Each structure stands twice: as C-alpha cells, then as structure tokens.
Amino acid sequence: MTKPTEMTRSPRPAARRRETPLAGFNATAATAAFVLALAGCASPQPTFYTLADANGGVNGGVNGGVNGGAVATTGASAPATPYAIEVSPVAVPEQVDRPQIVVTRSGGRVDILEASRWSAPLKNELTSTISRNLTQRLGAMDVYGVPRADSLAVYRVSTSVQRFESVPGEQAALTAVWSVRKVPGDLVLTCRFAATEPASGGIDGVVAAQRKLVDRLSDGIGNAIATSAQGTGAARCAG
C-alpha cells in the first residue's frame, strides 16, 4: 500500500522592515541640529592689544584691536650713547597681572574680559613697552640679562606699579614708583608718577589712554637719565 506523500512547506521569508522617507529626514535634521549646537558653543576669537606704539598716537592694536602700526627700529632717531640702560621687570598688582584686560565698572565691580586681551601678561607688556620707549628716546641699549663690559656705565631702572585702573568711557589711571640708579656712580633717584587720562568709547579708548600714561611715565624716566648722562644738571623727578 502506498504511503501518502508528505508535502514540506518552505518557511516564509521574514517581512522586510519598510523605511519611510520621513525617518531619513529626521536623522538628517538631528545631525544638523547637533552641528549647529557645537558651533554655538565655540568661543569667539579674542582681540589682542599692546601698550607699545611706534607712532606716538592711538595705534598698536594687534589682530583686530586698535589700528595696528608698523614697528619702528629701536633707537633709529637718536644717536648712540656711551651708556646703557637696564630695565628690570615691572612689578604689577596681581589683580591686573594677567593676559585678559581687567576693567572697573560702577559699584566697584571688576570684569575680566576674555575676549579682550593684552599681547602678553601685563607685567611683561609694561616692561617691554618701557624698555622700548627708553631705547627709542635715548638711543641706548637695554642690557638687562646680557653680559656687558664692566667699564660701561649703566642706568638701572626699577618700576613698581601701584594702580592700573581702566574704566571704559571714563578714564584710565596709572600710579607707579620708579627709580634710576647709575652703575658705577652714586646717582639714585626715586620718583612717584600718578596721572589719569580720559578714555572715551569702549576698550579701544581705554587702551589708548593707558598707552598715553605709559608714554608719560617713560618720558619722566628718560628725562632723568638724559639729564644725568649729559651733565646739564641734577636729575630730578618730573612735575
């Protein structure tokens, strides 16, 4: 007797998930939103400023700050001198000795501006600017940290800043005690500089005002050194 034939049924293929165009659109939109969020978190490029100014005016901004000026050759307009200067690092209050510009607001509030910065920490900025101003005015080399002949007369300059205040739209203030000592020799002159300059506008204006104050401070130091070196009278504090 013939057995009935058993029929084997092939398994049905699994149903394929159907993707709709809307799902792809949602994924693309989510990616775009994530990229935009990252872009929004990026910090803006800071603007850098310097106190040095080759032209004696409102210049010296770096990388988008106050109008940048060309760098003058040190001592180009002054004759070589038989003496040198030695500008020691300037002492600066810790509150303002940082790359960020520190400004004073009403009510005694102080703001540290991440987007507006000095080209170097303020201590270094002041030291290099005073050195540059003096070498340009006097035509003398700054030999700080450099070996030199014992016979070379050197005027050692020390400066301690006691107040460096910037109030945008109002004024800039600078108070400093400076001294000049001739080596070899017995000249020791210690003076105090205190002055303010109006500062119109925003950060550009207050930086320009501080630059003028540092120029005035350098003038006083330079005049004392020149008077002593030329022997035209006793060096004294200006003003």
Side-chain angles (χ1 to χ4, degrees), residues 15-196:
R16 181 176 297 176
R17 185 176 179 180
R18 188 176 181 182
E19 295 184 0
T20 64
L22 183 59
F25 174 79
N26 289 339
T28 303
T31 302
F34 179 70
V35 171
L36 289 175
L38 288 180
C41 294
S43 299
Q45 185 69 22
T47 299
F48 294 92
Y49 296 85
T50 178
L51 290 169
D53 178 19
N55 301 317
V58 185
N59 290 314
V62 179
N63 212 19
V66 184
N67 300 325
V71 176
T73 303
T74 300
S77 59
T81 60
Y83 62 87
I85 60 173
E86 190 176 88
V87 180
S88 300
V90 176
V92 177
E94 292 184 3
Q95 294 91 331
V96 294
D97 185 26
R98 60 183 73 237
Q100 300 93 333
I101 294 179
V102 179
V103 298
T104 303
R105 306 291 188 184
S106 60
R109 193 185 84 196
V110 173
D111 289 344
I112 300 174
L113 307 181
E114 293 292 341
S116 299
R117 303 191 175 205
W118 298 114
S119 60
L122 186 57
K123 178 190 301 181
N124 299 343
E125 187 72 26
L126 284 165
T127 303
S128 61
T129 300
I130 292 174
S131 171
R132 176 177 174 172
N133 288 349
L134 291 178
T135 55
Q136 287 181 338
R137 286 163 169 74
L138 301 171
M141 298 182 296
D142 184 352
V143 296
Y144 180 83
V146 178
R148 55 181 175 78
D150 293 337
S151 59
L152 178 66
V154 176
Y155 287 90
R156 292 178 175 169
V157 179
S158 299
T159 308
S160 176
V161 172
Q162 300 173 337
R163 181 188 182 194
F164 190 94
E165 187 176 68
S166 303
V167 186
E170 295 185 21
Q171 69 171 19
L174 175 62
T175 300
V177 174
W178 59 269
S179 67
V180 172
R181 178 184 181 91
K182 184 181 179 182
V183 181
D186 56 1
L187 169 68
V188 178
L189 179 66
T190 301
C191 303
R192 181 176 183 269
F193 173 88
T196 61

Side-chain angles (χ1 to χ4, degrees), residues 210-232:
Q210 288 289 8
R211 187 177 300 119
K212 291 178 182 178
L213 291 171
V214 177
D215 283 347
R216 290 169 57 183
L217 170 64
S218 302
D219 281 341
I221 299 172
N223 289 338
I225 294 175
T227 299
S228 171
Q230 295 168 5
T232 56

